[in-house]
Amino acid sequence: MLAVVVACCAHAQSTKVSGVVTDAKTGEPLPFVNIGFIDSRIGTVTDFDGRYALDTYYATDTLLFSFVGYANRKVVVKKDKVQVIDVQMAASSAELMELVVRPTGENPAWAILRRVVQHKPANNREKLSAYQYEAYNKIEFDLNNITEEFTQKKLFKPFAFIFENIDSTDAKPALPIFMTESISDVYYRQQPKTQREHIRGTKVSGIENESVGQFMGDMYQNVNIYENFLVIFGKNFISPIADGGRGFYDYYLTDSLWVDKYWCYKIEFKPKRVQELAFQGTLWINDTTYAVKHVQAGIAEGANLNFVQGFSVDQEYEQVENEVWMLTRDHLVVDLNIIKDTGKKNKNAVQGFYGRRTATYRDFVINQPKEPEFYEGADQVVMAIDPLSLGADYWDTHRHVPLTAKENTIYHMVDTMKSIPRFRTYVDIVSTIVSGYYERGDIEYGPYFTVFSFNAVEGARFRVGGRTSNQFSKWVEFEGYTAYGTLDERFKFGIATRGFISKQPRLLYRLGYKHDIEQLGQSVNAFRNDNILGSVFRVNPNNKLTDVEQWKASLEREWFTGFTNEVMFRYRTLQPLGTLRYEKLDEDLTLRNVNTIRTAEVSLNTRFLYHEKFVSGEFDRLSVGFNKYPTLELHVAYGAPGLFDSDYEYTKVVGRIYKRFQLGAAGWTRTTLEGGKTWGTLPYPLLTVHSGNETLYLDDVSFNTMRFFEFISDRYIQLFAEHHFEGLFFNRVPLLRRLKWREVACFKAVAGDLESKHYEELLLLQNMYGLYNGPFMEASAGIENIFKVLRADIIWRLRYNDHPGTSPFALRAKIVINF
């Protein structure tokens, strides 16, 4: 396993060897001398003048020279270099020895696999100095397991006509519901490593969203069999030709045969342990270059995956130039199970989806890099849409594979379904559950989970709110809400707007005002204060609240994909509520209550993730996919004294680095390193209030055994590290393997300090501390994928256990849905 995890990615270069072979005694050139790399099929013979030349990506470290009547010569070669090697061969009078062949007992497939691994750097297309090709991608989603009873349900009667398009040729009858096509040009350069994709045309049934077109392009979807691990469904699948693959697979050499014009070895493989994320299938390996000619693979039954009943991939490779193998066809099918049929006739039937992707590649150009200016810029995917791609004639001419009769009906069928009111109703219900808002014309009402909540200050809290929908505008959005507490008998409200000044480049403004109650020291990932779940699952009374009146304006600019700046102005008035107090000790040692704190703050926020991939809505965007680069964030703020009666002058700087590490069979790790410093003399609400958690909900980005307002700092550094083992240990225990539980471990720590000068502004409350005695730390061990949706952690509070109201252990849980 370790060999797989730490295997490096090498880029092969061409090895060029030339020279003259002569007789060691006479100096005469020797024609027709056999020359070849040891442990390879790459070789040549000398010409009439004894000259030879070899140029190959498949060099080994030794050349063997052989000729009848002469002693063999072995010469060491420097791989990936250009060199001249002249060889003198001596005549031999030795007699031929008896040759005895004995079986070695080794699996014959292993010897072939060793050569495949040895030649991976040469066969991997990333060895090339440059390449380009045209890619055609077609993706289709089908609703599968469509039984007759399913089609007769009242739910589907308003659009029963769609069932006329059911395809019964698969193992499960399937109904096509979505399809997208894209045509693009892909460019690659090795030094410096750069990749670009220019999407020339997209065609999507049912979705009008440019970012979907980007996501359906080749760069977001391609899987490279030559990588040790293939990231599929966010999981690390072990490649059948991974370095050290023998630790995870059993291999069987079953045949050798012609595949097209290439003689190939046929090797079948299956996982050693079915619960591991590995494949079963067949490889066809070219006998000369040891390149993959064809691979068919699927996920083994019993693999630790949720909702995936089947997965298969079929890839074909061609030698487009001498010793240059490129993927020319890629077909992938995923069978996802979503809902179990409760009908009387089909109790074991499970409704789900087929996801099908077919990609073909052609018009290869090898080792002809473009001018450096062509590769400049940070955007990997460029939507260079050809206006003609909007018409059917364009696709009839440019798509690599004609559509089938079934596929031709999908576009019309989906457009027809969208016009049926009952279908829109079903879509609205699903959208409301997912987003929290119910759309009605120009208005979206919600979110529904904030309609009722309760806390110690407001008592029962009732809230109504809404925002404009995309039907109202795709350029500007307005939102507002009002809330009322039965205990404090006060109304709270907020209004806001955001809109685009420009979409290319992305330039977005935000304006807002609110007067409401907040919980300071609560992480951005926690339940919002008026979420009913935050009220129900609290473990301590929610009585340290703050009345906040806030005006805010900001302008966000994306300079290129992944790099964003936001300039913000924020004016806030804070008043303590509940058991929270603002108390100041005057010079005569009398204690005085401070009613309000006012701040006027200007800030600059910067975020950078190189080659970020995302799917966009009209206003919000969701970052998707694994990125090998870290996310960098920097927040710089200045408090302007006297501006609108602001009370304090200060400067704050906070930096954050987030990185996810894919560790192959060992799982994956995510880490966040954050540090900050505040300059100025400030009351504790304006310092860093470290994020605690007083609910039973597991909060990824807070300290789950820390109380609210327990620790305050003016400078700090903190580390969060979480590792997901993905069943590495449980998969080896028969009972736990069937449950498909997965292990997770986490460690969090924060070190900081607090200068005594801040006490001059406000005294710290009782049970409020600085981190004077070293870092606060907590560690946890947990189980995820319980019933496929639940994660539960036991958390150990490692330090400061003498603080009142704390416990050395805590149990937290949360809902997590993933594959």
Side-chain angles (χ1 to χ4, degrees), residues 222-264:
N222 213 334
V223 173
N224 189 349
I225 191 70
Y226 287 98
E227 299 291 342
N228 285 321
F229 291 94
L230 312 178
V231 181
I232 303 173
F233 308 117
K235 309 295 183 182
N236 297 316
F237 283 81
I238 303 156
S239 170
I241 59 171
D243 303 349
R246 283 170 55 182
F248 301 90
Y249 287 98
D250 290 324
Y251 298 95
Y252 308 92
L253 176 61
T254 59
D255 202 354
S256 56
L257 67 166
W258 288 102
V259 179
D260 297 332
K261 57 183 178 180
Y262 303 99
W263 187 255
C264 295

Side-chain angles (χ1 to χ4, degrees), residues 83-330:
Q83 54 216 284
V84 176
I85 300 178
D86 295 329
V87 174
Q88 294 180 335
M89 299 187 68
S92 172
S93 58
E95 296 181 359
L96 293 175
M97 303 296 292
E98 180 183 6
L99 178 63
V100 179
V101 178
R102 294 186 176 92
T104 64
E106 182 184 52
N107 183 340
W110 292 353
I112 299 172
L113 264 296
R114 278 197 299 270
R115 289 175 172 83
V116 172
V117 171
Q118 177 185 343
H119 289 84
K120 276 170 60 177
N123 289 320
N124 193 339
R125 64 186 182 182
E126 294 187 358
K127 73 183 178 185
L128 303 170
S129 62
Y131 63 75
Q132 68 184 71
Y133 56 80
E134 181 183 271
Y136 168 73
N137 281 274
K138 177 175 64 180
I139 296 177
E140 176 187 329
F141 286 98
D142 303 340
L143 183 65
N144 67 25
N145 223 5
I146 305 297
T147 63
E148 182 178 355
E149 183 179 2
F150 183 85
T151 64
Q152 299 301 319
K153 290 184 177 182
K154 293 182 180 180
L155 181 69
F156 301 110
K157 284 187 176 180
F159 34 91
F161 71 94
I162 66 174
F163 296 116
E164 298 173 2
N165 297 286
I166 290 178
D167 182 2
S168 59
T169 59
D170 290 307
K172 302 177 184 178
L175 174 69
I177 57 174
F178 170 86
M179 190 173 74
T180 178
E181 299 174 272
S182 71
I183 292 179
S184 59
D185 295 319
V186 179
Y187 305 87
Y188 170 84
R189 178 184 64 180
Q190 187 188 103
Q191 296 295 337
K193 188 174 182 180
T194 311
Q195 194 164 0
R196 291 280 185 275
E197 181 176 15
H198 292 185
I199 296 182
R200 301 189 345 242
T202 62
K203 188 176 184 181
V204 183
S205 66
I207 298 179
E208 298 176 1
N209 189 310
E210 183 179 280
S211 70
V212 173
Q214 288 182 318
F215 189 71
M216 295 308 178
D218 186 65
M219 287 177 59
Y220 285 5
Q221 305 294 327
N222 213 334
V223 173
N224 189 349
I225 191 70
Y226 287 98
E227 299 291 342
N228 285 321
F229 291 94
L230 312 178
V231 181
I232 303 173
F233 308 117
K235 309 295 183 182
N236 297 316
F237 283 81
I238 303 156
S239 170
I241 59 171
D243 303 349
R246 283 170 55 182
F248 301 90
Y249 287 98
D250 290 324
Y251 298 95
Y252 308 92
L253 176 61
T254 59
D255 202 354
S256 56
L257 67 166
W258 288 102
V259 179
D260 297 332
K261 57 183 178 180
Y262 303 99
W263 187 255
C264 295
Y265 302 112
K266 181 180 178 182
I267 296 178
E268 298 183 10
F269 54 89
K270 66 178 184 179
K272 284 184 175 294
R273 296 165 291 273
V274 296
Q275 73 280 2
E276 291 184 335
L277 298 181
F279 301 98
Q280 63 181 15
T282 306
L283 286 163
W284 285 264
I285 305 297
N286 177 242
D287 74 327
T288 302
T289 62
Y290 294 98
V292 175
K293 176 64 177 72
H294 189 188
V295 57
Q296 292 178 330
I299 296 176
E301 185 178 356
N304 194 340
L305 276 177
N306 295 326
F307 314 116
V308 180
Q309 184 164 343
F311 173 90
S312 64
V313 61
D314 188 333
Q315 293 187 333
E316 297 178 8
Y317 294 79
E318 291 291 338
Q319 194 168 205
V320 298
E321 288 189 6
N322 185 40
E323 297 187 350
V324 176
W325 289 84
M326 299 292 285
L327 178 65
T328 56
R329 181 180 178 276
D330 188 1

Side-chain angles (χ1 to χ4, degrees), residues 334-542:
V334 181
D335 184 0
L336 299 177
N337 293 333
I338 307 298
I339 303 171
K340 189 171 184 178
D341 194 336
T342 58
K344 296 180 180 179
K345 297 181 181 179
N346 301 282
K347 289 187 177 181
N348 295 321
V350 179
Q351 259 66 60
F353 294 91
Y354 281 134
R356 311 173 194 264
R357 173 183 180 260
T358 300
T360 54
Y361 311 97
R362 68 186 185 189
D363 300 336
F364 294 94
V365 179
I366 306 299
N367 291 335
Q368 297 181 29
K370 293 185 173 294
E371 295 297 322
E373 294 78 13
F374 178 83
Y375 302 98
E376 292 179 353
D379 290 332
Q380 281 190 300
V381 179
V382 178
M383 299 292 290
I385 299 297
D386 185 340
L388 296 177
S389 69
L390 300 177
D393 292 342
Y394 177 92
W395 292 97
D396 292 340
T397 303
H398 288 81
R399 65 166 59 96
H400 295 186
V401 181
L403 296 182
T404 65
K406 177 195 72 172
E407 291 168 341
N408 269 314
T409 65
I410 295 178
Y411 291 117
H412 173 71
M413 184 185 71
V414 171
D415 290 340
T416 303
M417 287 175 60
K418 289 169 60 180
S419 65
I420 300 175
R422 182 67 63 85
F423 177 77
R424 286 302 317 167
T425 300
Y426 297 152
V427 171
D428 289 343
I429 292 173
V430 174
S431 177
T432 300
I433 294 173
V434 174
S435 69
Y437 286 86
Y438 173 69
E439 181 179 349
R440 190 72 174 176
D442 291 340
I443 305 297
E444 296 179 358
Y445 301 93
Y448 62 82
F449 48 78
T450 65
V451 171
F452 173 76
S453 60
F454 55 90
N455 57 69
V457 172
E458 296 178 282
R461 173 187 168 105
F462 298 91
R463 181 189 186 277
V464 292
R467 64 188 182 189
T468 56
S469 67
N470 294 336
Q471 177 177 306
F472 173 81
S473 174
K474 295 181 180 180
W475 280 81
V476 63
E477 177 187 84
F478 298 95
E479 66 175 322
Y481 73 91
T482 184
Y484 180 78
T486 59
L487 184 60
D488 64 355
E489 298 181 341
R490 287 180 50 211
F491 281 98
K492 300 90 181 175
F493 66 96
I495 55 174
T497 182
R498 60 176 174 171
F500 286 101
I501 299 173
S502 166
K503 291 191 175 183
Q504 291 295 335
R506 183 180 172 92
L507 186 60
L508 183 70
Y509 70 85
R510 295 180 178 89
L511 300 171
Y513 170 82
K514 74 170 184 178
H515 193 173
D516 205 345
I517 290 175
E518 287 188 12
Q519 173 67 69
L520 301 185
Q522 180 172 267
S523 80
V524 295
N525 200 44
F527 285 130
R528 51 189 292 173
N529 197 53
D530 54 2
N531 189 319
I532 181 59
L533 297 179
S535 300
V536 171
F537 293 112
R538 289 192 62 85
V539 294
N540 292 322
N542 192 7

